[in-house]
Amino acid sequence: MSVPRFWREIDSRYNLVGSYCKITNAYHYPKRSFDPEAGRESIGNMEDYKFKGNGKVINSTVVHQAQTGYEMFGPYCIAIIELEEGPRITSQVVDCEPEIVKPGMKVKSVFRKLGEDSESGILHYGTKFIIDEVLETINDENEDMADVEL
Amino acid sequence: MRDVSVIGIGITKFGELWDKSLRELGLETGLEAISDAGITSKDIDALYIGNMAAGSTLQQEHVSALIADYCGLTHLNVPATRVEAASASGGLAIRQAYMAIAGGFIDVAVVGGAEKMTDVSDSESSYTVSMGSDEQWESQAGATFASLHAMIAQSHMDEYGTSREELSAVSEKNHYHASLNPMAQFQFQVSEKAVSNSGMVSSPLRMLDCAPNSDGAAAVVLCATHKAKKFKKKSVRIIGSGQASDTLSLHHRKYLNRLPAIGIAAKRAFKSCGKKSEDLDLVEVHDNFTISEIIALEEIGIFKRGKAASMGLKGETRLGGKIAVNTSGGLKARGHAPGATGIAQVVEIVQQLRGEAGERQIKGAKIGLAENHGGTAATAVVHILEAD
């Protein structure tokens, strides 16, 4: 992907920034400059909103034939996730066996590498998700690490 | 509004046609349709070309002019227009010609669809197909086109209890139909067991749930009905046409196990001719994955939601069943050359309505419907045809 094409979306991709419509109180991801329900009234009434990153799995699949650029991850889990503010997003669920991801599971966004253009090309980063329980285990392990005398 | 008839058809074999270029395929099928219609190049008022991906697969845009040129229409300066809506490009090209003729702007149009998907590697052609969904917010997140349909399938299974066996029955049936179609890519049968045991692509969808990425071309000649008799004794009328859009991304839809644009396009097509789903003798639906055929039949209203899969397993969608679905073999087994697919569907319906479908002929078929969609049905187009 071209550098400008990725660069101009960095806010949305890195920080999960979308839009909030002051007319309909609806949240959108990715950003929209226009709320489809409110129509033109929403122009000038949309503001950036950084999602909390909490969500739940709506549905998921284990991808065995990877998308181009994702071969190194395969097999991996792709899911449609509903953020607690409302919008849905397609993303990878990582740090677990892809088969265990099921509808209804609570997940949290994490910042991860998405891929690279080539060995010497630019790296792409963005948002992926981790199952809440898995994230807690990782955090517990990290707390254990804090006790280790260096 | 004027009535519009199909007076000529042409189709190439679908498959890995490594010895043929896009322009050769376009010419071959266009000439066949023109000869079948009994017209000459001087009769052609306009050319419409369905093509999804020549820019990605062949580094060639402007394929409308390319095909017009190689079909020998340049000296007459025949207007040529390319229509693109991912895998719905072909069906939509027919609709553009239909509207131009119905609206009285022109009398005769040739609609051709052509695609070359096997000049590039499998991973490139798969990526090209996924460009019909949201490249930035689906493909770039790692979602393949199959993975989006896998979630559609899983959601349908979760809600309606659709089974592995029922998905496999769609593929088995379409391969059986293709075994009777000399233009099909896969003219052989596969057992339900073979489908159920084929390699996993994206759970729950397996290799034999997925249509291939094919080369191929198809063409139809459309003509204002009042002039049709001048060229062709046996014509077939397009009595209904409908089109609808939906969100580009699957994740922006309320229900993952529905493809509402198909239902709305069908409703509009039925409304335009006063027919109902019960009037249909056959349908060609866009089975890019087995689950898509099941949902399309539910959206069109042939079966209630959650019922199409079990009806298929019972043989109700097979030749000789309640309603024959995809007698061509469908995208799964006739092959799927995106820009040509929607036109190939109409070619199949016309062959059936003329009684020229050979071994797969449905006796006395009078009315048929073709449903073609792009992406995860962000564009859907439906045509209803009746034998004159």
Side-chain angles (χ1 to χ4, degrees):
Chain A
M1 195 174 13
S2 71
V3 175
R5 211 178 146 203
F6 198 87
W7 169 80
R8 68 173 169 259
E9 305 292 349
I10 274 182
D11 208 20
S12 295
R13 287 182 189 276
Y14 286 13
N15 300 320
L16 213 57
V17 172
S19 308
Y20 169 72
C21 172
K22 288 191 268 185
I23 308 283
T24 61
N25 297 318
Y27 294 90
H28 298 281
Y29 187 88
K31 280 184 195 179
R32 284 182 190 259
S33 48
F34 184 89
D35 182 294
E37 296 249 326
R40 75 177 80 163
E41 265 186 69
S42 63
I43 297 171
N45 283 304
M46 304 292 284
E47 52 188 40
D48 283 1
Y49 175 80
K50 185 176 184 307
F51 288 94
K52 291 189 188 119
N54 302 317
K56 66 170 183 194
V57 174
I58 297 298
N59 215 306
S60 68
T61 174
V62 181
V63 183
H64 290 259
Q65 287 190 7
Q67 182 58 283
T68 307
Y70 278 74
E71 294 85 351
M72 60 187 164
F73 299 115
Y76 59 89
C77 172
I78 281 287
I80 290 181
I81 288 152
E82 187 171 281
L83 299 170
E84 66 180 11
E85 293 91 340
R88 290 180 178 185
I89 173 172
T90 298
S91 188
Q92 246 183 294
V93 177
V94 293
D95 289 359
C96 65
E97 290 302 320
E99 292 82 9
I100 70 162
V101 180
K102 294 284 175 258
M105 278 184 170
K106 294 238 160 84
V107 291
K108 174 89 184 149
S109 66
V110 288
F111 179 72
R112 287 294 166 88
K113 181 177 164 182
L114 291 183
E116 55 196 32
D117 277 348
S118 65
E119 249 173 61
S120 56
I122 62 161
L123 301 177
H124 300 301
Y125 293 93
T127 303
K128 295 184 182 182
F129 287 81
I130 295 188
I131 299 170
D132 276 8
E133 285 166 20
V134 175
L135 192 63
E136 281 162 22
T137 321
I138 294 172
N139 289 342
D140 288 349
E141 279 167 14
N142 288 348
E143 274 170 31
D144 292 346
M145 289 289 284
D147 297 335
V148 178
E149 296 256 341
L150 293 174
Chain B
M1 281 250 301
R2 308 189 302 170
D3 284 347
V4 179
S5 295
V6 181
I7 60 168
I9 52 174
I11 190 163
T12 66
K13 192 173 179 302
F14 278 38
E16 291 176 326
L17 310 176
W18 291 335
D19 56 338
K20 284 183 180 146
S21 67
L22 186 82
R23 59 187 90 187
E24 285 167 334
L25 287 173
L27 173 64
E28 186 182 323
T29 187
L31 276 183
E32 191 190 342
I34 290 166
S35 314
D36 180 46
I39 61 170
T40 67
S41 52
K42 287 190 183 64
D43 298 312
I44 302 170
D45 297 322
L47 185 63
Y48 290 86
I49 302 295
N51 174 267
M52 171 185 179
S56 318
T57 57
L58 307 171
Q59 287 72 53
Q60 177 69 62
E61 303 291 11
H62 213 176
V63 294
S64 48
L66 172 95
I67 291 183
D69 185 0
Y70 281 79
C71 286
L73 298 172
T74 317
H75 66 291
L76 297 165
N77 306 101
V78 173
T81 308
R82 173 189 177 174
V83 179
E84 190 278 314
S87 298
S89 303
L92 218 51
I94 291 181
R95 189 168 149 83
Q96 301 314 305
Y98 168 82
M99 292 192 295
I101 296 170
F105 284 91
I106 56 172
D107 288 331
V108 177
V110 177
V111 189
E115 206 76 57
K116 285 292 296 178
M117 295 303 280
T118 77
D119 274 11
V120 294
S121 69
D122 280 353
S123 67
E124 283 172 276
S125 65
S126 295
Y127 201 84
T128 300
V129 168
S130 69
M131 290 177 188
S133 38
D134 193 329
E135 204 274 341
Q136 200 156 10
W137 299 105
E138 294 183 312
S139 311
Q140 288 293 340
T144 57
F145 199 49
S147 73
L148 299 173
H149 289 82
M151 288 189 279
I152 292 172
Q154 190 58 54
S155 172
H156 203 272
M157 292 165 112
D158 292 347
E159 181 151 358
Y160 301 111
T162 305
S163 67
R164 173 66 261 172
E165 207 185 357
E166 289 167 343
L167 292 177
S168 297
V170 173
S171 185
E172 185 278 330
K173 182 260 300 170
N174 287 346
H175 270 269
Y176 163 64
H177 290 168
S179 73
L180 308 173
N181 179 1
M183 290 303 173
Q185 179 165 0
F186 301 128
Q187 295 170 40
F188 54 82
Q189 297 192 49
V190 297
S191 65
E192 278 170 31
K193 204 175 155 198
V195 181
S196 299
N197 292 333
S198 59
M200 193 64 90
V201 174
S202 191
S203 64
L205 295 180
R206 293 171 179 274
M207 182 60 83
L208 291 175
D209 285 305
C210 311
N213 298 326
S214 321
D215 302 333
V220 292
V221 180
L222 303 191
C223 179
T225 300
H226 72 281
K227 288 199 171 170
K229 285 278 177 288
K230 181 178 147 197
F231 303 112
K232 186 87 182 170
K233 270 191 193 152
K234 217 172 185 180
S235 66
V236 166
R237 226 154 11 113
I238 299 181
I239 56 171
S241 176
Q243 183 189 340
S245 306
D246 200 350
T247 63
L248 185 61
S249 302
L250 178 66
H251 57 239
H252 284 140
R253 314 247 177 96
K254 191 175 176 194
Y255 301 103
L256 297 188
N257 50 34
R258 298 184 186 181
L259 298 169
I262 297 173
I264 295 164
K267 205 171 273 175
R268 288 172 180 164
F270 281 126
K271 196 181 169 198
S272 67
C273 60
K275 300 284 181 194
K276 300 187 295 290
S277 61
E278 299 88 74
D279 299 324
L280 303 172
D281 296 306
L282 77 151
V283 292
E284 287 281 308
V285 297
H286 195 90
D287 59 318
N288 52 355
F289 297 89
T290 47
I291 187 63
S292 311
E293 171 167 321
I294 291 167
I295 297 178
L297 294 174
E298 294 172 355
E299 292 291 352
I300 295 165
I302 291 167
F303 300 111
K304 290 209 171 83
R305 277 192 207 287
K307 298 288 179 221
S310 59
M311 288 297 169
L313 186 61
K314 276 189 205 157
E316 297 287 27
T317 56
R318 208 179 183 81
L319 266 172
K322 182 179 173 237
I323 180 157
V325 178
N326 285 332
T327 52
S328 65
L331 281 65
K332 173 67 201 80
R334 184 224 25 251
H336 177 33
T341 288
I343 298 169
Q345 292 176 325
V346 169
V347 168
E348 175 69 16
I349 304 264
V350 171
Q351 284 181 332
Q352 288 282 0
L353 299 185
R354 282 185 187 172
E356 295 170 358
E359 281 188 84
R360 59 187 197 288
Q361 180 64 45
I362 301 162
K363 269 190 202 146
K366 287 273 179 288
I367 300 180
L369 176 149
E371 178 274 319
N372 179 209
H373 64 257
T376 44
T379 298
V381 56
V382 169
H383 286 104
I384 301 170
L385 295 99
E386 184 173 21
D388 257 347

